[in-house]
């Protein structure tokens, strides 16, 4: 059912247009996800705000992409997997790490990022009900208490976009097509 098609800026509610214009300018194109979210300007604003806040969460750009790719993969969101593959490349993650994240495999080349991947996966898989041992392993890898909450923030951000994309069946933008991802059978 096509109820949440991607709006252009002109098709969007007036309250979404300024945010869409800023996003288009910063990204060089208007991603279909934002056009979909524009149907409810509060949702678009929430997502844009969460994106800005995660940048202040204490995780560096590479770590943020590990969280966002891990959550998107577990939520089986092809749109966000493509988008964050590009984000991971821009953040400077090595291709072997990006490939591992896309394939749901361990990050063999970086123990700390692997601990982050495992903790994020536990938060998603267990809906936040992670064990004390899981938290301890994450902290023992060199993360701090603030990073526990940063992961939750990233998972929250991705839940909003992943579920939106699932319901809208958001079409992949031409700009993201080279990074297309499909769940392995």
């Amino acid at each position: 059912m096509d109820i949440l098609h991607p709006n252009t800026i002109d098709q969007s509610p007036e309250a979404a247009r300024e945010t869409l214009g800023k996003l288009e300018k910063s990204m060089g194109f208007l991603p279909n996800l934002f056009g979909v979210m524009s149907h409810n300007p509060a949702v678009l604003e929430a997502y844009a705000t969460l994106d800005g806040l995660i940048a202040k969460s204490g995780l560096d750009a590479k770590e943020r992409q590990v969280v966002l790719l891990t959550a998107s993969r577990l939520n089986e969101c092809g749109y966000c997997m493509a988008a964050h593959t590009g984000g991971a490349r821009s953040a400077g993650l090595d291709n072997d790490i990006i490939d591992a994240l896309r394939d749901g495999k361990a990050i063999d080349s970086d123990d700390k990022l692997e601990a982050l991947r495992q903790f994020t996966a536990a938060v998603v898989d267990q809906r936040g009900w992670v064990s004390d041992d899981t938290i301890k392993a994450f902290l023992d890898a060199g993360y701090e208490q603030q990073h526990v909450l940063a992961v939750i923030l990233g998972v929250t951000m991705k839940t909003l976009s992943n579920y939106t994309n699932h319901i809208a069946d958001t079409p992949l933008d031409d700009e993201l097509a080279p990074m297309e991802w499909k769940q392995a059978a």
Side-chain angles (χ1 to χ4, degrees):
M1 177 185 286
D2 182 24
I3 61 165
L4 292 172
H5 58 279
N7 285 330
T8 64
I9 293 175
D10 292 338
Q11 294 169 327
S12 297
E14 184 66 36
R17 291 180 185 175
E18 182 180 346
T19 302
L20 288 174
K22 288 177 183 176
L23 291 166
E24 181 179 48
K25 184 176 180 182
S26 72
M27 300 190 79
F29 73 105
L30 182 61
N32 286 330
L33 171 63
F34 301 144
V36 167
M37 287 181 166
S38 74
H39 286 277
N40 186 322
V43 171
L44 177 65
E45 184 180 348
Y47 188 78
T49 300
L50 288 172
D51 186 49
L53 292 174
I54 196 169
K56 300 175 185 179
S57 70
L59 295 173
D60 68 29
K62 291 178 182 180
E63 292 168 326
R64 291 191 303 270
Q65 292 303 321
V66 169
V67 171
L68 302 176
L69 278 166
T70 300
S72 294
R73 185 183 177 286
L74 290 168
N75 285 328
E76 299 179 13
C77 184
Y79 187 95
C80 286
M81 287 298 293
H84 290 292
T85 294
R89 288 177 181 163
S90 294
L93 273 175
D94 294 337
N95 285 333
D96 64 319
I97 293 174
I98 295 170
D99 290 344
L101 291 166
R102 286 173 59 95
D103 295 340
K105 296 183 179 172
I107 299 170
D108 295 329
S109 60
D110 190 314
D111 292 342
K112 188 173 182 185
L113 290 181
E114 173 57 15
L116 177 60
R117 184 194 70 80
Q118 286 182 19
F119 182 71
T120 303
V123 169
V124 173
D125 284 340
Q126 299 164 19
R127 295 175 180 81
W129 295 104
V130 296
S131 69
D132 289 347
D133 288 343
T134 300
I135 295 169
K136 184 178 180 330
F138 179 63
L139 298 175
D140 287 349
Y143 290 99
E144 300 173 9
Q145 291 177 351
Q146 69 170 336
H147 299 121
V148 171
L149 295 172
V151 169
I152 294 169
L153 178 62
V155 170
T156 300
M157 179 182 155
K158 285 296 89 190
T159 301
L160 178 59
S161 62
N162 296 164
Y163 289 13
T164 297
N165 287 320
H166 293 172
I167 289 172
D169 194 21
T170 308
L172 195 60
D173 306 275
D174 292 341
E175 294 84 352
L176 300 178
M179 297 163 283
E180 183 176 16
W181 175 87
K182 292 191 187 293
Q183 177 73 19

